[in-house]
Amino acid sequence: MNSLLCNWFDDWGYQIIDGLGQMGLIIFIVIFLLLICYFSYTILFKQIPKAKYKIKWVQIIFLVIVILFTIWFCILLNKI
């Protein structure tokens, strides 16, 4: 028996597949991968060498969310 949250994500995933199609999912995956590269670059190379090191938690949280959406879209692409 699946939970309501899993059913909701499955239904939402099928709506995304129907609306965007395979090429749309690939485009969104590429966009999310570019966002991951950008946030990783800003977190690792621009903030670490500074003398006063201050972690920007908002960027790290947003990076995790973008990574999860990328994984989810890759899973959706495999369901086609």
Side-chain angles (χ1 to χ4, degrees):
M1 182 173 167
N2 288 336
S3 68
L4 289 174
L5 186 62
C6 290
N7 289 336
W8 183 77
F9 276 116
D10 283 341
D11 292 341
W12 196 31
Y14 290 129
Q15 291 296 326
I16 291 172
I17 291 171
D18 290 342
L20 295 176
Q22 185 176 4
M23 185 58 86
L25 283 176
I26 293 171
I27 290 170
F28 270 102
I29 289 171
V30 169
I31 290 170
F32 285 143
L33 287 174
L34 290 174
L35 279 173
I36 289 170
C37 292
Y38 172 73
F39 282 121
S40 299
Y41 173 75
T42 57
I43 290 171
L44 294 176
F45 295 112
K46 286 193 174 181
Q47 293 179 2
I48 289 177
K50 292 183 179 179
K52 292 183 178 180
Y53 180 64
K54 183 177 178 183
I55 298 174
K56 293 186 178 181
W57 292 105
V58 175
Q59 283 186 346
I60 294 173
I61 291 170
F62 193 68
L63 177 66
V64 170
I65 290 171
V66 170
I67 289 171
L68 290 175
F69 267 108
T70 305
I71 292 169
W72 186 46
F73 277 11
C74 288
I75 292 170
L76 288 177
L77 191 62
N78 286 333
K79 287 185 178 182
I80 293 180

